[in-house]
Amino acid sequence: GTMTLIAILAGDGIGPEVTAQARRVLTALAPDLMFEEGLVGGAAYRAQGHPLPPETLALARRSDAVLFGAVGDPAFDALERAMRPEQAILGLRKGLGLFANLRPAKLFAGLEDASALKPEIARRIDLVIVRELTGDVYFGDKGRRLTSTGLREGHDLMRYDEVEVARIARVGFETARTRRGKLLSVDKANVLETSQVWRDVVNEVARDFRDVELGHMYVDNAAMQLVRDPGQFDTIVTGNLFGDILSDQASMCAGSIGMLPSAALGSGTLGMYEPIHGSAPDIAGQGKANPCAAILSAAMLLRHSLARPEPADRIEAAVAAAILAGARTADLGGTMSTEAMGDAIMAQLG
Ligand code: NAD
Ligand code: IPM
Ligand code: MN
């Protein structure tokens, strides 16, 4: 039919708290949307004995887009890996073929004081990390065993093939094209064979994107440069693990992990949208979480899965205006509750 369905997978900890605010904003700007909630993560394990019940995956598949909160619960950290809450998000990414993760990081005016960097350095951050999402050590062969000498041993295989690298490289080049035309591929090719394949393939794909300026950097240097001068970066393309780590780091350059949204995309229009942060058990249930990352993820949903750029722009402008007007949750040095922050953004929407 013509009805647009959004699957809401709120999950654990602060997931439901921040997702509720994102849903409010979506409802205000796109009243035609239908929402259906699904169980995921620890919440699903508790209710159904599995972190990603088949009906949740099926709901995601038949939806036009997924709004995801967070998964993870310390109560389940000792479960066998397949049953842990985090497997739900990995299963959704893999199951839906969402191989490209866009993680934009920019400093909203007024948050200079919240950044871990000096204001004049922080002000320059405006980058996007294009993180590969369905490969790398996350999905390579894993195992634990006792060695012949009785030592506990664990392994996780890092691997990428050229098809996986080429398709994420293309997303990187295409993203750079819509921005300042600079793509930096981050790897560890001085040590890792996986990274040498990565670098070779990125260089090959570059022939189709002569208008984009391509560079390469080792991940350790990239981590250093990100806090030395984040303004030098435009678009960064990197593997699953490096992208995970660098995006959390970038968030503190921009003021808080509570500010960074993400879009997980595949080859079609179905996407999953979520803050880059986790379930934050240390503040869960206290109404302290910053909902901006979730609200900005809703904006990405409108832009990327629903092709509705105008309401997406309006959401981003409302977040910027609320912040400029002084709206601050605790992570940003303020005292507002999650809901009050949502109110401040709704008020800017008019
Ligand atoms: P986390 O991102 O949940 O929290 C890290 C720190 O940032 C905490 O001090 C937390 O209070 C703070 N924080 C995070 N989001 C915030 C927000 N919106 N507003 C204010 N403060 C915020 O990372 P963690 O503590 O390493 O992991 C907690 C759990 O979440 C673990 O089970 C982990 O596996 C899971 N996790 C899930 C996702 C996801 O679902 N996408 C992402 C990361 C971690
Ligand atoms: C993220 C999270 C996940 C990841 C975990 C929870 C599996 O840290 O979305 O950044 O590592 O991808
Ligand atoms: Mn992460």
Side-chain angles (χ1 to χ4, degrees):
T2 53
M3 163 200 102
T4 304
L5 177 66
I6 308 300
I8 305 253
L9 308 182
D12 305 319
I14 64 168
E17 302 171 36
V18 296
T19 306
Q21 300 307 316
R23 180 175 175 164
R24 260 179 98 189
V25 168
L26 266 185
T27 303
L29 287 189
D32 61 305
L33 298 182
M34 300 270 301
F35 296 96
E36 194 172 327
E37 294 185 19
L39 284 168
V40 75
Y45 181 82
R46 235 180 231 110
Q48 309 202 346
H50 197 281
L52 181 57
E55 44 281 31
T56 299
L57 185 57
L59 164 63
R61 276 191 212 285
R62 70 184 152 78
S63 70
D64 294 282
V66 181
L67 188 66
F68 189 94
V71 289
D73 184 332
F76 298 131
D77 283 349
L79 286 179
E80 59 163 309
R81 188 161 301 282
M83 289 300 138
R84 292 193 205 169
E86 290 85 347
Q87 291 305 305
I89 189 164
L90 300 177
L92 282 160
R93 290 167 179 170
K94 195 72 165 181
L96 302 174
L98 306 176
F99 65 87
N101 195 200
L102 308 185
R103 297 189 155 194
K106 69 169 192 174
L107 187 102
F108 282 86
L111 288 190
E112 292 80 1
D113 53 319
S115 170
L117 306 182
K118 296 189 191 83
E120 64 274 18
I121 296 174
R123 205 167 282 132
R124 286 168 37 78
I125 188 171
D126 180 5
L127 57 84
V128 57
I129 296 176
V130 178
R131 171 193 178 194
E132 200 288 331
L133 206 54
T134 53
D136 204 348
V137 287
Y138 281 72
F139 293 93
D141 179 66
K142 303 177 173 290
R144 287 173 62 135
R145 61 165 200 148
L146 274 185
T147 67
S148 55
T149 56
L151 298 178
R152 284 169 297 171
E153 182 188 272
H155 74 268
D156 301 85
L157 179 71
M158 179 178 277
R159 66 160 293 287
Y160 273 118
D161 67 36
E162 58 183 311
V163 173
E164 293 168 315
V165 178
R167 67 182 181 179
I168 192 68
R170 286 187 179 280
V171 176
F173 282 106
E174 276 153 15
T175 303
R177 238 178 207 171
T178 68
R179 296 172 49 90
R180 301 192 298 279
K182 270 178 60 179
L183 180 66
L184 183 75
S185 174
V186 169
D187 65 30
K188 187 74 185 173
N190 51 346
V191 178
L192 302 173
E193 285 306 308
T194 315
S195 284
Q196 192 58 56
V197 170
W198 176 282
R199 191 175 281 219
D200 292 348
V201 173
V202 170
N203 282 327
E204 288 159 22
V205 172
R207 294 184 203 130
D208 294 340
F209 298 88
R210 304 257 184 215
D211 52 317
V212 174
E213 180 195 325
L214 172 66
H216 298 276
M217 193 180 280
Y218 299 132
V219 63
D220 46 353
N221 185 24
M224 183 277 279
Q225 297 292 342
L226 197 52
V227 292
R228 190 186 71 85
D229 177 23
Q232 70 186 282
F233 300 109
D234 174 17
T235 306
I236 293 174
V237 64
T238 192
N240 203 343
L241 183 63
F242 298 157
D244 178 44
I245 298 166
L246 291 178
S247 54
D248 267 37
Q249 191 178 334
S251 75
M252 263 327 291
C253 303
S256 168
I257 191 164
M259 293 302 301
L260 261 59
S262 81
L265 308 172
S267 51
T269 59
L270 175 61
M272 184 159 74
Y273 300 83
E274 52 162 325
I276 76 156
H277 63 71
S279 56
D282 55 335
I283 58 165
Q286 301 172 39
K288 284 188 188 163
N290 183 347
C292 287
I295 290 169
L296 293 167
S297 297
M300 292 187 88
L301 182 156
L302 289 165
R303 181 172 292 115
H304 293 279
S305 280
L306 306 189
R308 299 189 195 185
E310 294 87 1
D313 288 347
R314 281 187 64 197
I315 292 176
E316 285 158 4
V319 171
I323 295 228
L324 201 57
R328 298 277 188 285
T329 40
D331 56 307
L332 300 175
T335 56
M336 276 186 173
S337 68
T338 306
E339 201 179 350
M341 192 74 181
D343 292 344
I345 293 163
M346 289 290 286
Q348 293 293 339
L349 284 170

